[in-house]
Amino acid sequence: MTVLRTARLRFVPLAASDVEELYELFALAEVRRYLLDDTVMPKSWVEAVVADSEAQFKAAGAGLWTLRDEGDELLGVAGYRDFFEPPQLQVIYALHPRAWGRGLATEALRALLEVGFETCGFEVVRGATDEPNDASIRVMERCGMRRVDPATFEPPLDDAEGAVFLEISRAAWTADGGRVLES
């Protein structure tokens, strides 16, 4: 589990010490609206997310990171997590509203794509969001992701209604030359 850096962000793998800050982030109405179907999750759920992320790092080489600025302020969370049935590893990001409108979601997603393709060896990276979340759809499209029909997934997903799915292949990402991580 590595700390990553872009020009403006530090990606620090989730740890038990982050639970309180993450709980506060996920409780914000603006964050939970699309990410958690507007549900305030209990702190035990956040603890489980941290534990799942640690397991995901071991299994797939990528889990969830906190997004922090150089002053160590929590700006959000981003990474890879299983969603839907059957479980499907997808890219995810959520920013604190104070970090909106600065291009940080795009910067974070580009870094996640780089990790997915260059470090983890993924052939395709997928993401999903609720249909009304136009801002997140624009971020994914800006990073080269294109809308796809989940009915074409193998195996098919059981609970995909109301979600917009986007994906990008390794070939499309390589053609874009989207490297943003600092050495």
Side-chain angles (χ1 to χ4, degrees), residues 35 81-92 157 159:
L35 186 63
R81 188 159 194 259
D82 283 328
F83 287 94
F84 301 102
E85 284 300 324
Q88 181 181 97
L89 192 64
Q90 294 188 2
V91 70
I92 180 176
L157 301 180
D159 59 353

Side-chain angles (χ1 to χ4, degrees), residues 46-91:
V46 178
E47 292 166 346
V49 167
V50 171
D52 290 348
S53 175
E54 291 171 344
Q56 195 66 54
F57 270 110
K58 290 177 183 154
L64 296 173
W65 290 267
T66 60
L67 300 176
R68 298 186 177 275
D69 64 13
E70 287 305 317
D72 205 37
E73 180 179 13
L74 179 70
L75 300 176
V77 63
Y80 290 92
R81 188 159 194 259
D82 283 328
F83 287 94
F84 301 102
E85 284 300 324
Q88 181 181 97
L89 192 64
Q90 294 188 2
V91 70

Side-chain angles (χ1 to χ4, degrees), residues 3-168:
V3 173
L4 307 172
R5 293 181 187 276
T6 64
R8 300 178 293 165
L9 297 169
R10 282 186 318 116
F11 291 64
V12 182
L14 263 60
S17 59
D18 298 318
V19 168
E20 191 62 40
E21 278 185 304
L22 291 171
Y23 176 73
E24 291 172 11
L25 175 70
F26 292 139
L28 293 171
E30 302 92 336
V31 173
R32 71 173 191 261
R33 177 177 42 189
Y34 298 123
L35 186 63
L36 301 169
D37 295 329
D38 209 22
T39 302
V40 177
M41 304 304 280
K43 198 174 287 186
S44 60
W45 178 85
V46 178
E47 292 166 346
V49 167
V50 171
D52 290 348
S53 175
E54 291 171 344
Q56 195 66 54
F57 270 110
K58 290 177 183 154
L64 296 173
W65 290 267
T66 60
L67 300 176
R68 298 186 177 275
D69 64 13
E70 287 305 317
D72 205 37
E73 180 179 13
L74 179 70
L75 300 176
V77 63
Y80 290 92
R81 188 159 194 259
D82 283 328
F83 287 94
F84 301 102
E85 284 300 324
Q88 181 181 97
L89 192 64
Q90 294 188 2
V91 70
I92 180 176
Y93 50 89
L95 294 180
H96 193 289
R98 70 175 168 257
W100 291 0
R102 299 174 15 204
L104 295 173
T106 301
E107 187 173 325
L109 180 54
R110 290 180 74 79
L112 293 173
L113 294 174
E114 187 172 340
V115 167
F117 292 123
E118 297 294 318
T119 304
C120 300
F122 299 155
E123 291 301 317
V124 173
V125 172
R126 288 188 176 139
T129 189
D130 291 347
E131 278 185 87
N133 192 350
D134 292 330
S136 189
I137 293 168
R138 282 192 307 274
V139 167
M140 287 189 267
E141 289 177 338
R142 193 175 306 123
C143 291
M145 299 178 80
R146 298 292 171 245
R147 292 179 193 226
V148 292
D149 182 354
T152 64
F153 294 174
E154 196 54 51
L157 301 180
D158 290 339
D159 59 353
E161 192 167 324
V164 174
F165 289 82
L166 296 95
E167 70 180 21
I168 186 170

